[in-house]
Amino acid sequence: MGGLRELAASFVVPGPCGVAARGRLKHLTPEDEVVLRAVGAHQGALASRDLKARCANGLEHAADTWAARKRDLTKESSSRIAGAITKATHDQWALARRCQAAYIRNLDAGIRTLRHRLSLPLGEKGTKRAAGGYRSKGEWFRKSRRLAMLEARHAAAVADWQAGRVRVVRGGKRLLNTRHHLTDAGLTEDRWRERWEAERWFLAADGESGKRLGNETIRVTPDGEVSIKLPVPLAHLANTRHGRYVLTARIAFAYRGAEWADRIEANRAVAYRIHLDTERGRWYLTASWQRLAIQTIPLAAARARGMVGVDTNADHFAAYRLDRHGNPVGDPRRFGYDLSGSAGHRDAQIRHALTRLINWAVRAGVAAIGIEDLDFTAEKTREKHGRRKRFRQLISGMPTAKLKARLVSMAVEQGLAIVAVDPAYTSLWGAHHWQKPLTTPRRKMSRHDAAGIAIGRRALGHPVRRRTAPPLHDRSDRAGHRTAQAGPGDRGREGTRPPATDRPPGGPSPSGKRKRGTSASNTVRDAPSTQRWVQDSLTHTG
């Protein structure tokens, strides 16, 4: 393909296999909050101790070490709580290992780039696929120092990986480091301490199919009554039988409430988590459960009623509707969002934009949405983009993983499929083939709108370009050479093509046989432009 990389095939994204619903615990009494804080702090201390033990085991972890840890936790809680804590510990350790592997890959990419650029002469120009040499001796020296630093970090990270050492902190590294920058964060020490302790609590329980209401540790009845099985050291706080504490508050799930009620009435597993929002002073309960794997529709069925192509940008979605033949229908649509501010604000902006996009796609009557399969994990390195700091911040701030997960889960609820396409060259080719032809005095086409068309056509299985070569034996010379249309500004595009050889008109052909030359035209409109037509006065009447 002339140096272009091979494009990956489009595919229908599988639907989510788990869902969650959250409700607020209103009207808690002071006694309720005391119990919740005590249980969270006690089980949080157990979780911290278990995580420390798991990290100490490293690669030596086995079934017997897990069983020993669970037995130790059971003495101070219960068997079910111990199982939930050890499972959360294993998930956190595995996540730390995946992050460690990603960190090593990022260091590898930076080291390769630095070594390549340091090997080039000063001032050598780069290409689209590889950066050039550094511009001065001073820059070359600073980058050589950075290469030595990255190599030292890489060696330490690889040693940790091989030894099975991970570095994790319950409560989060970001919140931990905030302790040293309270003024910048706008927090007092007491408020930070409250957030830190709340993040380290453990108030969660895994579901159990076949047990009453799907969970024995945290039980929620159909009318919203919440009760908690207290750990052994806190059994004296129980206000009902069997060491349970019933909260005064009632819970109601405004979202997925009917589905949740069907599960607990059938005694199917439902996991619960209770957490405190320290900024608002509110308690929440989150219910989550697994669904059967949703069968994705075939790609041909997703393409049957057309497609909505979506180009993801830093501040908006650029969407265009296409029919099943790949023809744009109507005008482009843009759904804006703001990714500045807190994580909660960014998440709300993304959800609102996706809701408007999905509702428009449903009204348009399509069966699927085509979107780029974006992944910037290998594109954020400082060495790759150099001084383009704003561009690095741009791609780092785009929540591609969260966006894809939210889009899939929200689209499934509306009966829409998501078709992921290779993002290569969509902006470039879309602008080249579609931006100018679709621009009118009443329709303003941006590069992003044209990219949405390119994405939609690729999702439909069509090439991005507007016109393709005619079938082989429908070209003028039956086996033809014409593979592209002449541009509208090309001279002679309406005329006949020159002869197959460069012989003079009427002269002998290369085979020796004389062929008749092209005769002069007898009509005015076909007359060559070099001839001047003169009206015969004898034939003029009137």
Side-chain angles (χ1 to χ4, degrees):
M1 296 180 61
L4 303 179
R5 73 171 177 83
E6 184 178 356
L7 301 180
S10 303
F11 62 94
V12 180
V13 181
C17 59
V19 295
R22 189 179 72 169
R24 182 183 171 189
L25 293 170
K26 299 181 179 180
H27 311 300
L28 289 173
T29 64
E31 292 78 8
D32 293 341
E33 293 201 23
V34 168
V35 171
L36 289 177
R37 290 174 180 272
V39 174
H42 174 73
Q43 296 181 169
L46 297 180
S48 299
R49 190 177 71 188
D50 185 64
L51 180 61
K52 179 181 178 181
R54 175 64 187 89
C55 292
N57 290 336
L59 300 178
E60 302 300 326
H61 170 71
D64 54 347
T65 58
W66 167 79
R69 288 176 19 236
K70 185 177 179 181
R71 283 194 299 267
D72 294 339
L73 295 174
T74 303
K75 299 175 183 177
E76 302 183 53
S77 55
S78 68
S79 177
R80 291 186 177 90
I81 295 175
I85 290 176
T86 54
K87 181 179 181 299
T89 296
H90 293 162
D91 292 342
Q92 190 167 7
W93 189 86
L95 176 61
R97 286 283 286 182
R98 293 195 297 272
C99 293
Q100 191 178 48
Y103 177 62
I104 293 174
R105 290 195 298 270
N106 189 55
L107 290 175
D108 281 333
I111 290 172
R112 285 196 304 270
T113 302
L114 286 174
R115 286 176 177 172
H116 168 72
R117 299 192 68 181
L118 289 172
S119 65
L120 299 177
L122 293 178
E124 181 169 331
K125 297 293 184 181
T127 63
K128 290 184 177 180
R129 297 184 179 274
Y134 292 110
R135 295 185 294 182
S136 64
K137 292 183 178 180
E139 187 178 11
W140 191 97
F141 174 75
R142 291 191 297 271
K143 292 301 182 179
S144 64
R145 295 284 298 271
R146 178 167 176 78
L147 175 61
M149 179 186 66
L150 293 185
E151 290 175 338
R153 291 180 181 177
H154 182 268
V158 170
D160 288 343
W161 171 265
Q162 295 174 348
R165 288 190 299 268
V166 297
R167 290 168 173 81
V168 296
V169 54
R170 295 195 67 251
K173 178 182 177 181
R174 178 174 298 179
L175 184 57
L176 176 64
N177 291 335
T178 303
R179 174 64 181 83
H180 307 289
H181 308 280
L182 295 179
T183 303
D184 297 338
L187 295 174
T188 62
E189 185 176 350
D190 293 338
R191 287 188 59 189
W192 177 87
R193 178 66 59 181
E194 183 182 10
R195 288 182 57 184
W196 175 251
E197 292 177 351
E199 290 294 332
R200 290 169 63 86
W201 289 344
F202 189 90
L203 275 169
D206 298 331
E208 298 175 274
S209 292
K211 298 297 182 179
R212 184 185 174 191
L213 302 178
N215 198 311
E216 285 287 348
T217 304
I218 300 177
R219 183 181 296 163
V220 183
T221 62
D223 60 354
E225 181 184 87
V226 182
S227 63
I228 303 174
K229 175 68 175 179
L230 299 177
V232 174
L234 301 177
H236 61 280
L237 299 176
N239 61 1
T240 187
R241 298 182 302 171
H242 308 299
R244 304 190 70 87
Y245 185 89
V246 180
L247 299 177
T248 306
R250 291 291 188 270
I251 190 71
F253 296 107
Y255 181 58
R256 302 186 190 275
E259 186 177 354
W260 165 80
D262 292 341
R263 289 192 67 88
I264 63 171
E265 289 176 357
N267 295 330
R268 300 177 64 187
V270 179
Y272 295 105
R273 174 177 175 263
I274 300 174
H275 68 281
L276 171 64
D277 186 341
T278 56
E279 294 184 2
R280 298 181 178 181
R282 297 176 179 178
W283 291 85
Y284 294 94
L285 184 143
T286 303
S288 57
W289 58 90
Q290 289 185 342
R291 281 179 170 177
L292 295 176
I294 300 177
Q295 297 295 329
T296 57
I297 64 175
L299 186 57
R303 294 169 170 171
R305 291 184 289 166
M307 189 81 60
V308 168
V310 180
D311 180 49
T312 305
N313 302 286
D315 57 354
H316 73 282
F317 296 121
Y320 220 119
R321 177 191 170 195
L322 290 82
D323 63 18
R324 63 189 182 92
H325 304 290
N327 301 313
V329 179
D331 293 328
R333 297 293 297 268
R334 302 175 184 91
F335 305 93
Y337 47 82
D338 181 15
L339 296 181
S340 62
S342 64
H345 175 263
R346 295 195 299 269
D347 189 58
Q349 288 283 311
I350 289 294
R351 284 188 283 111
H352 182 55
L354 290 178
T355 299
R356 291 186 291 146
L357 169 63
I358 291 172
N359 290 340
W360 174 67
V362 171
R363 292 194 302 269
V366 299
I369 295 175
I371 193 167
E372 297 167 296
D373 189 13
L374 293 174
D375 184 10
F376 292 126
T377 54
E379 302 295 331
K380 300 179 183 179
T381 59
R382 172 177 169 183
E383 285 69 35
K384 179 177 178 64
H385 298 292
R387 296 177 177 84
R388 301 169 64 188
K389 185 176 181 180
R390 294 192 63 182
F391 182 73
R392 298 202 313 266
Q393 293 175 344
L394 173 67
I395 60 178
S396 297
M398 294 179 65
T400 54
K402 183 178 292 186
L403 188 151
K404 288 187 288 188
R406 283 204 174 277
L407 177 60
V408 171
S409 61
M410 295 171 68
V412 167
E413 298 299 322
Q414 298 295 332
L416 293 174
I418 301 299
V419 178
V421 303
D422 194 318
Y425 317 114
T426 51
S427 296
L428 179 65
W429 292 353
H432 179 71
H433 294 290
W434 292 98
Q435 184 175 3
K436 184 176 179 180
L438 291 181
T439 301
T440 67
R442 296 189 178 183
R443 181 195 294 131
K444 302 300 181 183
M445 286 286 295
S446 68
R447 185 183 183 92
H448 306 302
D449 300 327
I453 299 176
I455 294 167
R457 287 181 64 87
R458 187 169 290 175
L460 288 168
H462 301 304
V464 174
R465 60 178 299 167
R466 295 169 55 236
R467 294 179 179 178
T468 57
L472 183 64
H473 290 293
D474 285 333
R475 302 170 188 172
S476 337
D477 43 9
R478 302 294 295 174
H481 63 278
R482 185 180 296 177
T483 58
Q485 300 288 341
D490 294 345
R491 301 187 62 181
R493 62 190 297 269
E494 300 293 345
T496 58
R497 285 177 291 174
T501 63
D502 56 355
R503 60 180 173 81
S509 64
S511 59
K513 297 181 179 180
R514 179 178 180 84
K515 292 186 178 181
R516 182 179 179 181
T518 305
S519 60
S521 173
N522 296 323
T523 60
V524 173
R525 64 174 183 177
D526 293 333
S529 58
T530 57
Q531 297 182 5
R532 183 179 180 183
W533 178 69
V534 180
Q535 176 67 46
D536 188 354
S537 61
L538 297 179
T539 60
H540 178 70
T541 59

